[in-house]
């Protein structure tokens, strides 16, 4: 146990070293450093409990869970994407209309405080569903942080802002992993205390958020004319379609869903489960940095995207044909590498298509497409449990999702080959 925690502390200091290097290299201001710091704390809250909401639901009561069915657990998980779909688009519109952004971050933190405390005092399907909604609302704020942070940079440095912020979620994962392990390594899982800790941290982040400045241009306002301009941009909409496919692939084969698969189908131990998000996040950060600093310049955008999608195909093929938990655990690195690079490329392109005055509108539309993929990435498990009881094309039910995502990945590669050009 001590070795695993020491590794986490080592990685925390290592990533902090990277952050300090980037801070000095790009001469970040105090405001930019504060935004980054609040995001790290914010994402740590999500990381501690997000991946465990499905496992909490299906774990037997005598082991600290709720003993809910797989279908109810899938519904709880899908609430995360549902709120993202309903809120991401109007969030950016309202931020322009009221010329406020910080208040949305604070609203999400307040909901996390209330829902986490509710789960701690009375864990049930209802409170866990409410918590999943709050987590989805919180995850939506990553897009808001991207816009707030990118507004502090010039347009041609938007990719830099995304690359710097991509370090925050990974740092949060290493903060969360030892906490998750300490609460779950025994036969009895103290899931409720994980939610209590998340609520306390959310309150601290809420207080810190009042020190953040609102970066919204006062002469900027929402209008339906801007929406029309963005929706007429065919290349941007094509990019949104790719974002939808990306989010479906990612959220159906990682996080809470992969954690549940590792526990129920592969019988992974508590340490492996606690560090699973970290295994995904490390290559995600590496890929995100390499995309901005090396791959896009050496290979071009199209070839880089094709390479990244190929790594996810390799992962899905391994999971479909191998049942060894250790091989699947380490091949999970490929899934993280794929997502980190593709996400950074797509969101950077989405922000660079339009000038700053259109950025909130374009990001709202982009994030709405992304949220559709999140929702169905979780909800597809409800469909599988109801209609694919005997599996697909010779693969058992639990592996059906990997076959579905493999097919969607191939379709995504075809779309990239047809439409995405290096210019």
């Amino acid at each position: 146990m001590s070795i695993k925690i020491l590794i986490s502390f080592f990685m925390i200091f290592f990533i902090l070293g990277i952050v300090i290097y980037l801070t000095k290299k790009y001469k970040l201001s105090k405001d930019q450093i504060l935004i980054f710091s609040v995001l790290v704390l914010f994402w740590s809250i999500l990381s501690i409990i997000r991946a465990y909401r499905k496992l909490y639901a299906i774990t037997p009561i005598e082991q600290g869970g709720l003993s809910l069915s797989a279908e109810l657990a899938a519904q709880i998980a899908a609430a995360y994407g549902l709120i993202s779909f309903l809120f991401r688009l109007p969030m950016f519109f309202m931020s322009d209309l009221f010329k406020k952004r910080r208040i949305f971050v604070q609203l999400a933190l307040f909901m996390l405080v209330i829902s986490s405390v509710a789960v701690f005092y009375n864990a049930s399907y209802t409170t866990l569903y409410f918590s999943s909604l709050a987590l989805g609302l919180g995850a939506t704020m990553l897009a808001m942080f991207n816009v707030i942070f990118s507004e502090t940079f010039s347009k041609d440095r938007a990719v830099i802002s995304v690359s710097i912020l991509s370090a925050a979620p990974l740092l949060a994962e290493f903060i969360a992993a030892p906490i998750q392990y300490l609460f779950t390594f025994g036969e009895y899982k103290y899931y409720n205390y994980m939610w209590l800790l998340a609520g306390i941290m959310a309150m601290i982040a809420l207080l810190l958020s009042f020190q953040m400045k609102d970066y919204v241009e006062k002469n900027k306002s929402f209008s339906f004319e801007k929406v029309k301009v963005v929706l007429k941009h065919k290349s941007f909409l094509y990019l949104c379609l790719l974002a939808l496919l990306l989010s479906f692939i990612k959220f159906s084969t990682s996080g809470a869903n992969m954690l549940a698969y590792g526990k129920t189908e592969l019988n992974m131990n508590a340490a492996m489960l606690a560090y699973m998000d970290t295994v995904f996040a490390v290559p995600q950060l590496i890929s995100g940095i390499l995309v901005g600093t090396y791959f896009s310049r050496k290979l071009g955008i199209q070839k880089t995207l094709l390479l990244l999608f190929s790594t996810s195909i390799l992962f899905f093929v391994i999971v479909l044909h191998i049942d060894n938990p250790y091989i699947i655990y380490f091949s999970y690195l490929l899934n993280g590498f794929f997502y980190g690079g593709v996400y950074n490329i797509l969101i950077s392109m989405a922000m660079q298509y339009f000038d700053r005055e259109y950025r909130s509108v374009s990001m709202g539309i982009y994030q709405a497409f992304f949220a559709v993929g999140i929702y169905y990435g979780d909800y597809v498990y409800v469909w599988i449990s109801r209609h694919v009881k005997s599996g697909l094309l010779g693969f058992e039910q639990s592996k059906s999702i990997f076959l579905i995502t493999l097919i969607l990945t191939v379709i995504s590669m075809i779309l990239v080959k047809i439409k995405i050009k290096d210019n």
Side-chain angles (χ1 to χ4, degrees), residues 48-61 63-70 72-74 76-77 128 180 183-185 189 191-192 194-195 255-274 276:
I48 289 171
I49 58 177
R50 181 176 58 176
Y52 278 83
R53 66 194 191 279
K54 193 171 182 179
L55 207 54
Y56 192 179
I58 62 177
T59 297
I61 293 176
Q63 294 179 18
L66 300 180
S67 291
L68 299 179
S69 67
L72 289 177
I76 290 171
L128 204 55
Q180 293 169 329
F183 284 122
T184 61
F185 75 91
K189 318 297 180 184
Y191 294 126
N192 56 334
M194 292 168 64
W195 262 257
N257 293 316
M258 194 62 190
L259 210 69
Y261 180 78
K263 175 64 176 178
T264 59
E265 301 298 327
L266 303 174
N267 198 29
M268 290 182 180
N269 59 49
M272 293 175 74
L273 296 174
M276 182 169 279

Side-chain angles (χ1 to χ4, degrees), residues 336-401:
F337 190 83
F338 142 74
Y339 177 70
V342 176
Y343 177 85
N344 276 20
I345 289 176
L346 295 186
I347 199 169
S348 297
M349 291 175 68
M351 287 196 293
Q352 289 183 350
Y353 271 131
F354 303 96
D355 292 329
R356 283 184 178 181
E357 63 178 299
Y358 291 95
R359 191 168 289 172
S360 288
V361 174
S362 63
M363 283 304 297
I365 294 172
Y366 176 89
Q367 291 296 330
F369 275 86
F370 195 83
V372 172
I374 295 174
Y375 173 70
Y376 283 104
D378 284 321
Y379 192 78
V380 69
Y381 284 86
V382 177
W383 179 82
I384 288 174
S385 65
R386 291 176 180 174
H387 305 292
V388 193
K389 298 185 183 299
S390 58
L392 284 174
L393 301 178
F395 293 99
E396 59 195 53
Q397 185 189 50
S398 61
K399 292 189 176 186
S400 297
I401 187 61

Side-chain angles (χ1 to χ4, degrees), residues 81-154:
L82 177 63
I83 194 67
S84 294
F85 171 66
L86 295 175
F87 199 76
R88 287 193 185 213
L89 185 58
M91 175 184 69
F92 284 99
F93 289 175
M94 289 187 291
S95 70
D96 266 7
L97 186 63
F98 298 109
K99 295 178 172 47
K100 299 287 184 182
R101 290 208 176 115
R102 186 182 66 179
I103 192 171
F104 293 99
V105 174
Q106 292 168 333
L107 172 64
L109 285 166
F110 177 74
M111 294 295 288
L112 284 168
V113 172
I114 299 300
S115 62
S116 298
V117 173
V119 171
F120 173 72
Y121 281 108
N122 183 27
S124 65
Y125 171 83
T126 302
T127 55
L128 204 55
Y129 191 91
F130 177 39
S131 175
S132 191
L133 288 173
L135 287 166
L137 183 63
T140 300
M141 293 305 127
L142 179 59
M144 183 62 79
F145 273 106
N146 272 323
V147 173
I148 293 173
F149 201 57
S150 68
E151 291 278 283
T152 67
F153 290 82
S154 59

